[in-house]
């Protein structure tokens, strides 16, 4: 009874036989949102379905709790259980049937909701145990797996300390900025300044390799903020202070090559006119790289029948062409999607003979004339090396208007511009919006991407600049180029990029794939992705394909623009974040 304030009125002072009145509010100040309840037991197990933790939420806190909110439960020795609300449930305080006419009528005539007869229970999912390690000034907050059960009636409070939340979720303190931690579309706020909690990707060598070289996938539907978010992340890779150690011991800035089907990324050269001084001050306080990147160039493929007009950015434009000599090492570029293995081998034979005769100076038109020779067809057929039907099939597919428009145009070959194309600290954008033929677009993107990959993986590279430079290859609409289609060409492409992904850490090569159809990307490539960033997706197959935890999967169709789920096992627990509301560079057209 001493825990309660009995007031000043008593039967003795009143001089009557009535019972004394008593306040039901305990003396003191509440320290959390509720307490652990052992009414149905408290259990921590090795398997998720063996664990059972529930908390009673006090009446004053019921409006503030949300599924997904992060909480802390203390142990007597000072350790803390870091957990999240995974379910909320109202239960009856007393056994009564409220599904009756009289209860419904009363409720319908009230302005407020009477819930004194109910209790709100929160199911808790343990994430980790937080503990202090070290002595004196060397004390460090660490986390470990949940291995002990908290006491009944332990106070449950909202996690509001930035270091506790970051430690609990295994979030790195520094790295590449992606956004701010959120729950249910609202940023998690603390008492610190700034109050938000920044989410970053590891970008150092303390615990392995920088995650940029473990590859990233950004998936989101139209209007989800996918390109906006991708620009903000790429801008961080290009920050002046960001450097990566190479095999020769040198620390160099990364070069970024971005394939751009909608002609949007060259705008990263320019400042965003909507950014205010207050925006810049806030970003600087959180060490977020911002502003147009001066070292941005648009490498524009010269194609027949297509002209590039760029009045929406001020980046330098450099024209180039794809020389047919690149096909000597990449015969699949002209294989098309319908060649079978036998026909592909015949194509390789024809190309080998052609380049033996013409050398690297041989053009696509020279090749067309070469295979259009009836004598060659007859020779290969009679020798039994290529059947005439196979020869004709190869010829039909190798002669294409798309190839005429792409190869050997009136511009300097890209192979002569490698020093300018791949440069530490430079963003090289390859726009393809002006290419009217999807086949031509495919040839341009795959020719350049495979050149970069081949040189990175080679032990005897032709272009040492590529080999010796940390490189991020960004590919928007990646599903168009890394599809799981069953053809010789697609198998060659997938094999090449899968091998590149496997060697990325060693060679300092990072793939940054952007797509609205992740289900169309080949599984072999998908398996090499370490960081998956998912924005709003409406297609069920697309959501299933990104392989994020079930508790976050259900949120994806309801996420607003800029909301995203990050699943990066080597970086943190799966989390929900919100990207910056403004792009740190120019974005969108007037």
């Amino acid at each position: 009874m001493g825990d309660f304030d009995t007031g000043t009125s008593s039967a003795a002072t009143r001089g009557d036989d009535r019972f004394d009145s008593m306040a039901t509010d305990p003396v003191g100040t509440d320290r959390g949102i509720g307490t652990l309840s052992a009414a149905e037991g408290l259990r921590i197990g090795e398997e998720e379905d063996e664990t059972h933790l529930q908390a009673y939420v006090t009446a004053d806190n019921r409006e503030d709790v949300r599924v997904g909110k992060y909480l802390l439960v203390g142990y007597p020795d000072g350790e803390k259980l870091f957990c999240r609300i995974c379910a909320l449930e109202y239960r009856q305080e007393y056994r009564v049937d409220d599904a009756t006419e009289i209860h419904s009528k009363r409720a319908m005539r009230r302005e407020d909701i009477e819930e004194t007869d109910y209790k709100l229970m929160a199911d808790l999912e343990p994430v980790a145990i937080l503990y202090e390690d070290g002595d004196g000034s060397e004390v460090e907050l660490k986390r470990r797996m949940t291995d002990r059960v908290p006491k009944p009636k332990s106070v449950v409070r909202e996690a509001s300390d930035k270091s506790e939340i970051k430690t609990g979720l295994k979030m790195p303190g520094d790295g590449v900025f992606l956004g701010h931690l959120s729950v249910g579309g609202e940023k998690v706020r603390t008492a610190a300044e700034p109050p938000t909690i920044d989410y970053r990707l590891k970008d150092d060598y303390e615990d392995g390799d920088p995650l940029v070289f473990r590859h990233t996938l950004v998936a989101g539907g139209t209007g989800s903020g996918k390109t906006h978010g991708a620009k903000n992340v790429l801008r961080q890779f290009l920050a002046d202070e960001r450097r990566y150690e190479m095999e020769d011991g040198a620390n160099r800035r990364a070069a970024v090559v971005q394939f751009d089907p909608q002609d949007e990324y060259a705008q990263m050269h320019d400042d965003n006119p909507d950014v205010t001084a207050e925006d810049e001050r806030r970003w600087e306080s959180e060490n977020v790289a911002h502003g147009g990147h001066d070292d941005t160039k648009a490498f524009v493929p010269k194609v027949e029948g297509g002209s590039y007009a760029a009045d929406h950015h001020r980046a330098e434009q450099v024209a180039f062409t794809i020389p047919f000599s690149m096909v000597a090492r990449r015969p699949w570029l002209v294989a098309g999607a319908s060649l079978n293995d036998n026909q592909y081998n015949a194509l390789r034979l024809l190309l080998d003979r052609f380049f033996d005769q013409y050398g690297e100076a041989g053009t696509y038109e020279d090749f067309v004339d070469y295979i259009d020779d009836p004598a060659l067809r007859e020779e290969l057929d009679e020798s039994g090396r290529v059947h005439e039907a196979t020869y004709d099939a190869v010829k039909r597919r190798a002669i294409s208007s798309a190839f005429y428009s792409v190869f050997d145009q009136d511009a300097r070959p890209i192979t002569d511009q490698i020093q300018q194309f791949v440069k530490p600290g430079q963003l090289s954008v390859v726009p393809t919006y002006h290419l009217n033929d999807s086949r031509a677009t495919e040839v341009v993107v795959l020719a350049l991407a495979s050149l970069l990959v081949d040189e990175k993986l080679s032990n005897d590279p032709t272009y040492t600049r590529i080999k010796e430079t940390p490189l991020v290859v960004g590919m928007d609409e990646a599903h168009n180029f890394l599809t799981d289609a069953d053809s010789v060409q697609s198998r060659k492409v997938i094999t090449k990029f899968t091998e590149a992904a496997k060697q990325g850490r060693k060679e300092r090569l990072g793939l940054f794939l952007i797509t609205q159809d992740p289900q169309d990307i080949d599984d072999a490539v998908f398996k090499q992705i370490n960081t998956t960033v998912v924005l709003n997706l409406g297609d069920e197959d697309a959501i299933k394909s990104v392989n994020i935890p079930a508790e976050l999967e259900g949120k994806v169709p309801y996420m607003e623009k800029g909301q995203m789920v990050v699943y990066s096992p080597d970086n943190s627990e799966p989390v929900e974040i919100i990207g910056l509301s403004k792009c740190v560079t120019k974005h969108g057209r007037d």
Side-chain angles (χ1 to χ4, degrees):
M1 299 292 286
D3 290 338
F4 295 86
D5 182 4
T6 60
T8 59
S9 176
S10 68
T13 59
R14 291 194 308 268
D16 58 32
D17 295 330
R18 287 177 294 169
F19 289 111
D20 289 343
S21 63
M22 181 174 290
T24 58
D25 291 331
V27 176
T29 304
D30 293 346
R31 295 182 291 115
I33 68 165
T35 58
L36 286 186
S37 169
E40 296 184 9
L42 293 174
R43 185 170 62 254
I44 294 291
E46 292 184 344
E47 300 296 331
E48 184 177 339
D49 57 3
E50 296 177 352
T51 295
H52 179 79
L53 292 178
Q54 276 196 326
Y56 171 81
V57 181
T58 57
D60 293 340
N61 291 294
R62 292 179 180 180
E63 295 300 318
D64 297 325
V65 294
R66 298 286 187 276
V67 172
K69 185 180 282 288
Y70 299 110
L71 305 175
L72 287 168
V73 182
Y75 292 96
D77 59 2
E79 293 188 341
K80 299 172 184 177
L81 174 66
F82 184 83
C83 53
R84 61 183 290 273
I85 299 176
C86 58
L88 290 168
E89 176 189 11
Y90 269 112
R91 291 184 188 167
Q92 290 182 333
E93 183 77 34
Y94 311 103
R95 188 172 184 85
V96 62
D97 183 7
D98 58 2
T100 65
E101 191 73 12
I102 189 169
H103 279 89
S104 296
K105 290 288 187 181
R106 285 177 178 174
M108 292 165 65
R109 293 170 185 174
R110 294 176 62 99
E111 293 296 328
D112 58 346
I113 297 176
E114 178 59 56
E115 55 176 308
T116 54
D117 292 339
Y118 301 89
K119 50 189 175 184
L120 182 62
M121 306 300 293
D123 289 347
L124 308 183
E125 177 190 345
V127 177
I129 287 179
L130 307 183
Y131 67 99
E132 292 183 344
D133 186 40
D135 299 312
S137 60
E138 302 297 322
V139 171
E140 181 182 0
L141 187 64
K142 293 185 176 181
R143 74 194 293 269
R144 70 170 187 268
M145 66 174 289
T146 307
D147 57 6
R148 58 188 298 203
V149 66
K151 303 294 185 183
K153 294 186 180 180
S154 295
V155 174
V156 179
R157 66 177 179 86
E158 183 178 352
S160 59
D161 181 85
K162 186 175 292 190
S163 63
E164 289 180 337
I165 294 174
K166 281 200 166 188
T167 303
L169 293 172
K170 202 181 68 172
M171 290 166 50
D174 297 308
V176 176
F177 177 85
L178 293 191
H180 293 106
L181 185 68
S182 66
V183 172
E186 295 183 3
K187 293 179 183 177
V188 175
R189 296 188 176 275
T190 69
E193 183 58 40
T196 51
I197 300 176
D198 53 315
Y199 184 88
R200 299 174 182 272
L201 288 179
K202 291 177 184 175
D203 201 46
D204 55 37
Y205 297 90
E206 290 185 5
D207 299 312
D209 297 292
L211 290 184
V212 61
F213 304 122
R214 301 286 300 280
H215 319 301
T216 305
L217 174 75
V218 179
T222 303
S224 64
K226 179 174 71 268
T227 305
H228 174 137
K231 283 184 177 181
N232 283 348
V233 177
L234 290 172
R235 181 64 182 86
Q236 307 313 303
F237 292 148
L238 294 162
D240 293 341
E241 71 278 5
R242 205 169 298 287
R243 282 170 168 67
Y244 302 98
E245 183 180 349
M246 300 301 293
E247 281 192 343
D248 60 5
N251 291 308
R252 298 189 180 93
R253 295 174 66 188
V256 177
V257 176
Q258 176 66 38
F259 295 100
D260 184 6
Q262 298 300 323
D263 198 13
E264 297 174 293
Y265 290 88
Q267 291 180 320
M268 290 180 64
H269 174 276
D270 305 331
D271 292 336
N272 184 348
D274 296 329
V275 169
T276 65
E278 175 60 24
D279 294 326
E280 293 180 334
R281 184 200 65 78
R282 186 170 63 254
W283 293 341
E284 287 167 4
S285 71
E286 295 193 82
N287 194 28
V288 177
H290 62 278
H293 187 63
D294 292 336
D295 202 357
T296 298
K297 294 183 180 180
F299 284 81
V300 183
K302 184 72 175 295
V303 293
E304 188 177 287
S307 60
Y308 181 72
D311 55 358
H312 57 289
H313 68 78
R314 296 183 292 108
E316 178 185 349
Q317 299 174 40
V318 181
F320 74 90
T321 189
I322 303 292
F324 189 66
S325 58
M326 290 182 66
V327 178
R329 292 178 57 188
R330 305 166 186 87
W332 46 267
L333 282 173
V334 292
S338 55
L339 284 186
N340 59 37
D341 290 332
N342 187 43
Q343 293 165 346
Y344 181 71
N345 290 333
L347 173 64
R348 291 187 59 181
L349 172 64
L350 289 169
L351 286 168
D352 288 344
R353 290 181 56 138
F354 170 77
F355 283 111
D356 285 344
Q357 180 175 334
Y358 283 80
E360 291 192 357
T363 66
Y364 177 68
E365 290 191 1
D366 291 334
F367 180 67
V368 171
D369 291 339
Y370 179 78
I371 62 175
D372 201 28
D373 182 3
L376 176 62
R377 175 179 181 271
E378 183 178 353
E379 174 197 337
L380 294 176
D381 180 50
E382 290 181 352
S383 65
R385 304 190 68 182
V386 179
H387 189 275
E388 58 182 10
T390 301
Y391 190 101
D392 292 340
V394 171
K395 179 180 173 182
R396 285 195 302 272
R397 290 164 177 77
I399 299 178
S400 166
S401 59
F403 300 150
Y404 272 113
S405 67
V406 169
F407 293 117
D408 309 314
Q409 298 300 305
D410 184 21
R412 191 178 174 198
I414 191 62
T415 48
D416 292 346
Q417 303 187 67
I418 297 299
Q419 293 292 109
Q420 294 77 38
F421 185 52
V422 177
K423 180 180 176 183
Q426 178 175 289
L427 170 62
S428 298
V429 180
V430 182
T432 57
Y433 185 72
H434 62 294
L435 306 185
N436 299 321
D437 188 299
S438 61
R439 186 75 183 94
T441 301
E442 190 176 56
V443 171
V444 170
V445 172
L446 293 180
L448 293 185
S450 63
L451 170 65
L452 298 173
V453 168
D454 288 341
E455 291 298 301
K456 266 296 184 185
L457 301 184
S458 176
N459 293 322
D460 184 24
T462 303
Y463 307 100
T464 55
R465 165 61 66 84
I466 298 175
K467 184 73 172 181
E468 296 173 355
T469 303
L471 180 62
V472 178
V473 177
M475 186 177 290
D476 208 335
E477 297 189 2
H479 55 277
N480 288 331
F481 309 104
L482 302 178
T483 182
D484 60 358
D486 185 20
S487 68
V488 173
Q489 183 187 45
S490 64
R491 289 199 299 271
K492 298 292 182 182
V493 172
I494 295 304
T495 299
K496 183 178 296 290
F497 276 84
T498 300
E499 184 61 27
K502 291 178 179 178
Q503 299 295 325
R505 285 183 291 176
K506 174 186 174 184
E507 301 296 345
R508 301 294 182 259
L509 170 65
L511 302 181
F512 190 80
L513 309 180
I514 308 160
T515 180
Q516 61 189 21
D517 295 313
Q519 70 276 16
D520 291 337
I521 293 180
D522 191 271
D523 285 343
V525 176
F526 229 123
K527 289 176 181 177
Q528 304 305 317
I529 300 294
N530 184 268
T531 300
T532 304
V533 180
V534 185
L535 295 92
N536 181 282
L537 285 168
D539 184 84
E540 184 176 344
D541 291 337
I543 296 173
K544 291 290 184 184
S545 70
V546 293
N547 296 322
I548 58 177
E551 66 268 19
L552 295 175
E553 192 176 276
K555 295 183 177 183
V556 171
Y558 304 101
M559 293 194 300
E560 300 291 334
K561 184 175 182 179
Q563 290 179 235
M564 55 191 93
V565 165
V566 180
Y567 183 52
S568 184
D570 290 338
N571 192 66
S572 73
E573 296 286 338
V575 295
E576 175 189 343
I577 69 172
I578 295 179
L580 297 176
S581 59
K582 292 182 181 179
C583 194
V584 296
T585 67
K586 186 177 180 181
H587 178 62
R589 306 192 186 189
D590 298 331

